[in-house]
């Protein structure tokens, strides 16, 4: 049982870009990107929900494409750009999708929300004018237990270039 | 989320890779990681060493190969799904890839990984068998080829020997008048199929079947080729009756097992239904114009 | 948007009733919300649980020496290390099924996954290695794995000192035998529901530490901070030495109502004197966290020729797993609403929960009332079929009305707008869809339900809230509620905003801290809006009453003419005469009048029911609803697709219509998931559904848009006449889908989930379909 020793011994420096800024971390090969983001870098906006690639709460964008952070080794992120939901909008300045999620109450517990926003963002970049069915298909891999999805689809639809403005109510 | 520790190797040349695999016969190859890493996260796989092949050059390419296609082992599911060349030359593969799991899995998962993992209900092994694909395999001692039909040996079991790497897949040229059909039954969108069927039919100008290929997944240890159904179709006109007869032959040729999602009896019955649907689609596509590729 | 009944008077409210964006959602979309697992402290250890591999076994020996000696291991604990290895519970509040549940199994394990030992180590990997190094020698014992078999006299006992029958509730009203003799049609069927997992996307998690003042502090994903008391007893500490904080939850649905990680993480922090984080993996959550009870429900229902219900005899049997948890209460709720929202003069119900060696079961959204909806609504359809009536007709003839006597003998005290609700749901389906393929068959069905909200009256429920102004006129609400994601915190702000005229963005809500927020009694039983909503409205009203005279004197107006609105005090009818609330606050301070107060709301209370007849007062009130669905069945495969789902509930008053709709949509999809897809399969005590890939909750592709229809009857016992809406929407979908399947392919399924295979088998076994136009038609 030299696990603890092995853990320390094989750590390697990994450099990647997180939300636009370069980061350098020490990561052991067996650490997933999810573990390093959450435990080492404090990027707790990326969630753990299953570790099987099923739930989508760990979604990040890797060079712009949505992937499972739970199914990528941190060392495999070297030299690449990782985007979490914090890379979507700027501090205090929400991305239109985030605004639409608030306006439509497309989040309840919010645990699926960071992943959902990232998938929606990547999807809209390729499909500026999607149908509701296309939106449903795009987010099908990201589970939500609270909303039943209707409002998530509403919010994404409101953001797509369909000309429909997001429902905005003053707070 | 917390796999147990292992030694990690990320070779960047083929020679280095094959040497490593020869030296570390117990090492696991890491491609897209979408089957291996879940197992490791769950503690169900605890390999002592991983050989990450993602850094190998040239394994993500898709090229025309005679009238067919050659696909590198690291071609991602997402590329299969979206590449204009693949959609034109081999839409069956593109459609099959689009049915896999979720968008995140498709961005990472690879063709070679799916074939090597050999899940009995997986789409790509099924389509590879139905299309008569050939796998290219390398080891330190040299390279070899094996047909998809012979590659799958049992439940999660393939023809691969320790030290061997799948490097690419060749899809043969598709004759004019060929159409494909893909039908699957899933309990939930994106999940592994309960039963999946892939049919490829080539007709002559008069609607007579020149060649038929039918494979079924989820009803045996690996995708099964329905020889009797194929025989019943070849050489005759593709009437509804003949399609039904061919589909009726399917339950007798499958060997499903029960699990929490479906009993063997249901899988057997569904194999017939999916076979018919795949055949009917293939017939329609074959008829919709000569030269329409599978 | 709320759609009001046409007869309703215009909205008298400024803030209540508006679809305000929730402040917590604004944080959640930015990823700044810190859930339980997101908390980190320096020197934090990783805590893990070693779980039983057998469902029923004796522990011969546990050896932990090797594990303790591994590098990075800070503690390995077994039952011997737990100061008080028993959790004393009285789930009925009547002493009927008091029980001491072990925290860690000592000599016996009674379900697969039962905690046996605890580990704390420097990293998750080291903790995992330590778990693997603990040696447990088991001697497998016979177990009991079926609720029915558990009642056999010679069944192995789950607990040697008591029989397997955990609880038996009885309800007797009228004379059912005479009733059946008077009936023209009698339908007798048995229904089965499955084990369901809450599958909140946030797995169970907590961080615990011993704070500087020696207080064991646990920041946990829990619905109930009041568990600090039980944790204190386990640690043998005074109650005031344990503090539980609940951050925003990533979903609860009842799965975080019992304790999950709390006692274990607390033990490890207490023993190591270091912060410990414990995260359950999804797989251990699926393996061992309590599920929704599988019910077997035998119903015999009699009606007259004109469709009036005469008698109903019901036997309910629930598999409780090996420990009581909340089973007695779940089964009690099922008993009370076993007949659904209908008048039935003669009723006999026996509701039992039994011990087995299967995975434990406890609270889940719908809490017993959900399961029986499947049965009583199916019975209504089958009766209608026998009597040649439509589903709508038979229901309309029997709907409960205000003032009617419930089977418990108590009167229904609020409006039950069922005819209106049902019509709304049915209308919303619109035109019938065409099948999408030759093998497609389209069908429709409806189901109504009633769901209690609030705790059983003999628990004498209480909730408190503490509200105060800051010097700048901003408002602070402190309430010991937990927010599961349903907007519990935001709705309190909205209520206070209404009463005190403070804009919601000037209100901070502090929740979920057993040391600093006044206790509110947990978020479950759809009680939080009812209880804490009333508490906040009461506290805000009292605060307002203290401040109005001060404002009146500043404004030189009569007190009745003063109003608080838009962060100002003003004179009604004189828009120019306003002053900032901050000025009123300052003036109060000068005069020594408090601008902050604690108040409480006492829920309805009454003596316990009669245990032999079930007669008496039970729940404070009920929420009523109706769902209408349209499905397409693939007749060749048995696959069912929900094409349309309209869900209508009377919420009394929608405090935030957008949040209400969200509850309805999410609840309906959860119910539809239970109808068609979800099941935790357990065979001989072994859980076969421990992967998330195998536990099928619906994706966005599996469900249609849900039309949420909100009726506001203006009657309910919550603040501003609101009714609870958290749980009710999960109830109707299974029965409505079953009806729609029957409409489509002529077979009635009586077991959940209605998988493609079950539908396929039923269609294949179906006798030639008799022609009967009225059957099941909506
Ligand atoms: C949530 C989820 C849903 C999924 N749903 C589906 C689905 O519906 N249908 C489906 O077909 N698949 C599904 N998959 C599996 C997915 O397609 C995987 O990507 C695929 O099975 C494995 O490919 P990979 O590249 O990720 O392989 P890896 O996980 O990297 O490797 C898998 C196995 O193959 C070996 N291997 C990999 N590459 C090679 C190679 N070139 N030569 C030799 N051996 C190699 C590895 O050593 C390992 O044993 C799903 C996966 C997830 C996580
Ligand atoms: S945690 Fe990665 S998909 Fe669930
Ligand atoms: S909002 Fe809770 S899981 Fe989606």
């Amino acid at each position: 049982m030299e696990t603890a020793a092995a853990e320390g011994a094989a750590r390697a420096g990994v450099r990647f870009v997180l939300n636009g800024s370069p980061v350098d971390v020490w990561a052991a090969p067996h650490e997933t990107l999810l573990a390093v983001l959450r435990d080492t870098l404090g990027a707790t906006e990326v969630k753990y929900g299953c570790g099987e690639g099923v739930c989508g709460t760990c979604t990040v964008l890797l060079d712009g494409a949505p992937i499972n952070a739970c199914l990528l080794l941190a060392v495999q992120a070297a030299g690449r750009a990782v985007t979490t939901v914090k890379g979507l909008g700027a501090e205090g300045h929400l991305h239109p999708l985030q605004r639409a999620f608030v306006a439509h109450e497309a989040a309840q517990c919010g645990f699926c929300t960071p992943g959902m926003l990232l998938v929606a963002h990547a999807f809209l970049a390729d499909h500026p004018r999607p149908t509701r069915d296309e939106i449903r298909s795009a987010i099908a891999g990201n589970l939500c237990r609270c909303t039943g999805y209707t409002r998530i689809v509403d919010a994404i639809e409101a953001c797509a270039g369909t000309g429909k403005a997001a429902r905005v109510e003053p707070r | 989320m917390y796999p147990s520790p292992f030694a990690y190797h990320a070779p960047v040349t083929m020679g280095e890779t094959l040497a490593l695999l020869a030296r570390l016969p117990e090492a696991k190859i890491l491609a897209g990681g979408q089957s291996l890493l879940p197992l490791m996260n769950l503690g169900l796989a605890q390999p002592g060493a991983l050989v990450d092949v993602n850094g190998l050059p040239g394994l993500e390419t898709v090229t025309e190969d005679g009238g067919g296609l050659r696909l590198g082992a690291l071609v991602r599911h997402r590329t299969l799904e979206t590449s204009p060349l693949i959609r034109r030359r081999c839409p069956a593969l593109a459609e099959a890839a689009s049915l896999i799991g979720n968008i995140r899995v498709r961005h990472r998962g690879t063709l070679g990984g799916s074939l090597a993992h050999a899940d009995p209900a997986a789409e790509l092994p099924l389509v590879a068998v139905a299309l008569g694909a050939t796998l290219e395999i390398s080891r330190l001692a040299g390279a070899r080829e094996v047909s998809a039909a012979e590659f799958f040996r049992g439940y999660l079991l393939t023809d691969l020997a320790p030290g061997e790497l799948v490097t690419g897949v060749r899809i043969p040229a598709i004759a004019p008048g060929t159409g494909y059909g893909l039908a699957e039954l899933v309990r939930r969108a994106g999940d592994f199929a309960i039963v999946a069927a892939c049919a490829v039919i080539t007709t002559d100008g008069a609607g007579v079947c020149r060649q038929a290929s039918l494979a079924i997944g989820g009803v045996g240890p690996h995708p099964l080729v329905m020889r009797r159904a194929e025989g019943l179709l070849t050489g005759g006109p593709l009437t509804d009756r003949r399609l039904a007869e061919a589909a009726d032959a399917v339950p007798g040729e499958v060997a499903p097992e029960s699990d929490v999602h479906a009993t063997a009896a249901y899988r057997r019955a569904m194999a017939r239904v999916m076979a018919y649907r795949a055949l009917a689609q293939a017939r329609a596509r074959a008829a919709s114009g000569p030269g329409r590729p599978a | 948007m709320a759609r009001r009944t046409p007869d309703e008077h215009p909205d008298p409210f400024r803030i209540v009733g508006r679809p305000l964006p929730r402040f917590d959602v604004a944080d959640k979309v930015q990823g700044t919300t810190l859930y339980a697992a997101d908390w980190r402290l320096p020197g934090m250890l990783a805590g893990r649980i070693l779980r039983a591999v057998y469902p029923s076994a004796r522990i011969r020996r546990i050896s932990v020496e090797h594990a303790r000696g591994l590098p990075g291991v800070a503690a390995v604990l077994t039952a011997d290390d737990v100061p008080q290895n028993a959790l004393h519970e009285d789930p009925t509040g009547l002493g009927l099924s008091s029980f001491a549940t072990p925290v860690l199994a000592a000599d016996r394990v009674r379900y697969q996954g039962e905690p046996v030992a605890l580990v704390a180590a420097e990293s998750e990997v080291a903790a995992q290695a330590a778990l693997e190094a603990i040696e447990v020698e088991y001697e497998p014992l016979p177990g009991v794995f079926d609720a029915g078999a558990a009642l056999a006299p010679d069944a192995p006992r789950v607990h040697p000192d008591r029989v397997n029958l955990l609880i038996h509730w009885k309800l007797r009203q009228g004379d059912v035998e005479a009733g059946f003799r008077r009936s023209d049609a009698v339908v007798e069927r048995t229904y089965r529901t499955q084990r369901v997992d809450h599958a909140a996307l946030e797995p169970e998690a907590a961080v615990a530490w011993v704070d500087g003042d020696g207080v064991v502090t646990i920041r946990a994903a829990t619905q109930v901070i009041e568990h600090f008391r039980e944790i204190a007893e386990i640690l043998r500490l005074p109650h005031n030495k344990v503090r539980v904080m609940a951050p925003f939850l990533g979903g609860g649905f009842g799965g975080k109502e019992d304790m999950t990680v709390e006692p274990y993480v607390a033990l490890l922090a207490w023993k190591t004197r270091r912060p410990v984080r414990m995260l359950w993996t999804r797989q251990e959550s699926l393996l061992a966290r309590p599920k929704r009870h599988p019910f077997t429900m035998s119903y015999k229902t009699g009606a007259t020729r004109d469709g009036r219900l005469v008698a109903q005899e019901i036997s309910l049997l629930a598999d409780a797993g090996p420990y009581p948890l909340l089973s007695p209460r779940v089964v009690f709720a099922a008993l009370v609403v076993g007949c659904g929202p209908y008048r039935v003069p003669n009723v006999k119900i026996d509701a039992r929960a039994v011990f087995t060696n299967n995975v434990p079961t406890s609270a889940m959204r719908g809490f017993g009332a959900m399961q029986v909806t499947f049965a009583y609504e199916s019975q209504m359809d089958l009766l209608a079929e026998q009597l040649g009536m439509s589903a709508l007709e038979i229901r309309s003839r029997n709907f409960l009305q205000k003032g009617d006597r419930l089977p418990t003998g108590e009167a229904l005290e609020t409006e039950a707008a069922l005819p209106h609700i049902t019509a709304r749901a049915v209308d919303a389906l619109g035109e019938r869809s065409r099948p999408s393929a030759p093998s497609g068959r389209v069908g429709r069905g409806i189901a109504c339900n009633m769901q209690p909200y609030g705790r059983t009256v003999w628990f004498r429920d209480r909730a408190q809230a503490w509200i105060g102004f800051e010097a700048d006129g901003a408002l602070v609400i402190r309430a010991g509620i937990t927010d599961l994601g349903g907007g519990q915190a935001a709705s309190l702000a909205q209520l206070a905003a209404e009463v005190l005229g403070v804009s919601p963005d000037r209100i901070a809500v502090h929740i979920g801290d057993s040391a600093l927020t006044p206790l509110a009694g947990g978020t479950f039983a759809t009680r939080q809006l009812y209880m804490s909503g009333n508490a906040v409205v009461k506290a805000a009203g009292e605060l307002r009453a203290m401040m109005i005279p001060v404002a009146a004197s500043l404004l030189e107006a009569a007190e009745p003419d003063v109003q608080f609105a838009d962060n100002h005090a003003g004179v009604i009818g004189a828009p120019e005469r306003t002053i900032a609330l901050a000025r009123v606050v300052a003036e109060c301070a000068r005069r020594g009048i408090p601008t902050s107060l604690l108040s409480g709301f006492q829920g309805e209370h009454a003596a316990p029911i009669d245990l032999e007849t079930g007669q008496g007062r039970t729940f404070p009130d009920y929420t009523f609803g109706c769902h209408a669905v349209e499905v397409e069945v693939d007749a060749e495969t048995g696959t069912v697709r929900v094409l349309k789902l309209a869900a209508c509930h009377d919420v009394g008053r929608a405090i935030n219509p957008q949040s209400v709709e969200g509850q309805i949509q999410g609840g309906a999809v959860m119910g539809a998931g239970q109808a068609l897809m979800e099941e935790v399969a357990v065979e001989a005590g072994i859980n076969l559904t421990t992967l998330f890939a195998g536990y099928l909750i619906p994706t966005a592709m599996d469900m249609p848009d849900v039309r949420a229809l909100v009726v506001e009857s203006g009657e309910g016992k919550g603040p501003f006449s609101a009714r609870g809406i958290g749980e009710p929407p999960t109830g109707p979908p299974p029965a409505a889908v079953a009806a729609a399947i029957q409409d489509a392919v002529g077979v009635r399924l009586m077991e959940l989930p209605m998988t493609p295979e079950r539908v396929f088998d039923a269609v294949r076994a179906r006798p030639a379909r008799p022609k009967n136009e009225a059957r099941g038609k909506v």
Side-chain angles (χ1 to χ4, degrees), chain C residues 432-689:
Chain C
R432 200 174 259 261
S433 308
R434 299 181 160 283
S436 65
S439 59
R441 310 276 181 274
V442 173
R444 291 182 163 190
I446 59 167
C448 302
N449 77 329
M450 72 188 284
Q451 172 87 40
Y453 61 89
R455 298 183 76 181
T456 321
V457 289
W458 66 77
F459 279 102
R460 303 182 173 272
D461 203 7
R462 255 189 89 72
Q464 303 171 92
W466 173 16
I467 301 193
F469 277 99
E470 296 298 335
D472 61 353
L475 193 72
V476 177
I477 302 174
R478 294 177 181 86
I481 64 160
T482 53
D483 192 313
L484 284 48
Q488 284 86 0
S491 68
L492 297 188
Q494 199 162 350
L495 292 168
E498 177 70 40
V499 178
L500 289 166
V502 183
S503 59
D505 63 344
R506 301 267 289 153
I507 300 178
V509 188
H510 299 297
I511 62 168
D513 183 335
S514 70
L516 299 179
T517 58
L519 295 182
T523 303
F524 56 84
T526 309
R527 66 179 283 285
Q528 218 37 288
L529 180 66
Y530 164 54
M531 294 299 301
S532 290
N534 274 326
V536 162
V537 168
K538 188 157 169 273
E542 288 166 12
L543 188 56
R544 188 174 181 280
M546 294 193 318
M547 293 171 67
I548 284 277
V550 180
S553 77
L554 286 175
L555 288 162
E556 296 174 3
E559 286 178 24
D561 294 339
V562 173
Q563 66 171 7
F564 288 178
D566 304 326
N567 303 312
H568 283 75
V571 180
I572 298 167
E576 70 295 346
R577 289 171 65 193
T578 63
I579 48 170
L581 278 176
R583 264 202 65 200
V584 183
V585 172
E587 183 62 17
C588 285
R590 213 177 58 78
R591 297 190 193 178
I593 293 171
T595 51
S596 157
L597 67 81
L598 174 73
S599 193
F601 175 74
Q602 174 76 61
E604 284 185 37
H605 48 92
I609 50 155
D610 180 306
L611 291 176
E612 285 311 308
T613 63
Q615 300 297 296
R617 287 281 289 129
T618 58
F619 292 100
D621 196 21
Y622 304 87
T623 299
F624 298 90
C626 176
H627 293 197
V629 305
E630 183 181 89
V631 304
E632 179 173 353
V633 182
D634 183 331
E636 288 177 359
T637 63
T639 309
V640 179
R641 261 194 74 74
V642 181
L643 302 177
K644 295 180 185 170
L645 207 176
C648 184
H649 293 267
D650 170 22
V651 301
R653 164 140 7 253
I655 304 299
N656 182 333
Q658 184 152 276
S659 300
V660 166
E661 286 182 11
Q663 287 300 304
I664 293 177
Q665 290 167 328
V669 165
M670 187 178 271
Q674 172 161 6
L676 292 168
M677 302 161 72
E678 301 181 22
E679 172 156 34
V680 177
V682 177
E683 234 174 72
I686 301 297
N687 189 329
L688 304 177
T689 313

Side-chain angles (χ1 to χ4, degrees), chain B:
Chain B
M1 188 172 169
Y2 301 100
S4 30
F6 49 80
Y8 177 73
H9 306 275
V12 290
T13 67
M14 184 59 79
E16 208 188 330
T17 306
L18 298 179
L20 262 171
L21 290 175
R23 186 159 60 79
L24 303 168
E26 302 293 294
K28 273 283 182 190
I29 294 167
L30 175 64
Q34 303 302 292
S35 291
L36 184 55
L37 280 173
L39 293 173
M40 291 173 60
N41 277 340
L42 301 173
L44 299 174
Q46 300 189 332
L50 282 196
V51 178
D52 182 346
V53 295
N54 285 281
L56 289 185
L59 288 189
E60 287 204 43
T61 53
V62 181
T63 47
E64 305 205 48
D65 175 40
L69 285 175
R70 189 198 172 274
L71 307 144
L74 285 181
V75 171
R76 312 276 162 183
H77 304 338
R78 185 66 179 163
T79 306
L80 296 177
E81 186 184 356
T82 55
S83 145
L85 176 61
I86 295 171
R87 289 169 72 105
R88 204 167 57 241
R89 274 295 166 80
C90 192
L93 205 52
E95 185 182 337
S98 76
L99 297 173
I100 295 176
N102 56 56
I103 185 75
R104 308 178 310 278
V105 169
R106 296 199 295 276
H107 269 298
R108 287 299 299 171
T110 67
L111 174 59
S114 178
L115 298 178
H117 189 63
D119 189 289
E123 282 85 358
L124 298 178
L126 173 73
V127 172
V129 167
L131 291 172
T134 301
L135 281 79
E136 300 173 351
I137 296 169
S138 287
R139 59 180 186 284
L140 195 57
R144 67 185 180 102
E145 295 191 345
V146 60
S147 73
E150 287 164 54
F151 179 73
F152 300 105
R153 288 298 177 86
Y155 179 75
L156 303 183
L157 201 70
T158 67
D159 189 44
L160 282 175
E164 286 190 323
L165 176 75
V166 176
T167 52
V169 176
R170 288 208 319 275
I171 312 279
I174 284 154
T178 301
Y180 80 96
L182 193 56
E184 64 173 41
L185 183 78
V186 289
R187 292 264 338 255
R188 173 173 71 171
D191 280 6
F192 275 104
I194 301 285
V195 177
C198 182
V200 182
I201 291 180
T202 307
T203 56
D204 63 13
V208 171
C209 175
R210 282 202 290 124
Q211 206 189 339
S213 157
L214 177 65
I216 317 251
V219 287
H222 54 76
L224 300 177
V225 179
M226 298 293 105
R227 298 276 177 229
R228 281 194 17 230
E230 291 176 358
L232 285 167
L233 290 168
T234 311
L238 290 165
T239 57
D240 287 352
R241 237 214 37 242
R242 290 185 67 102
L243 255 51
E245 280 167 14
D248 286 342
V250 162
E253 276 192 286
V254 298
E257 287 189 20
S258 298
D259 67 15
V260 288
H261 294 304
T263 63
Y266 181 66
R267 284 176 197 269
R268 196 181 289 279
M270 289 307 103
R272 195 199 136 275
V273 176
M274 293 303 127
Y276 186 88
R277 289 182 182 182
L279 289 170
Q281 271 181 23
R283 174 182 63 181
R285 288 194 175 113
S288 74
R292 171 107 186 116

Side-chain angles (χ1 to χ4, degrees), chain C residues 187-191 297-300 379 382 386 750:
Chain C
V187 168
E188 200 170 350
R189 291 283 193 289
T190 297
Y191 301 89
M297 306 176 283
S298 300
Y299 269 66
K300 183 175 176 188
Q379 289 288 98
L382 294 172
Q386 246 191 52
M750 281 166 279

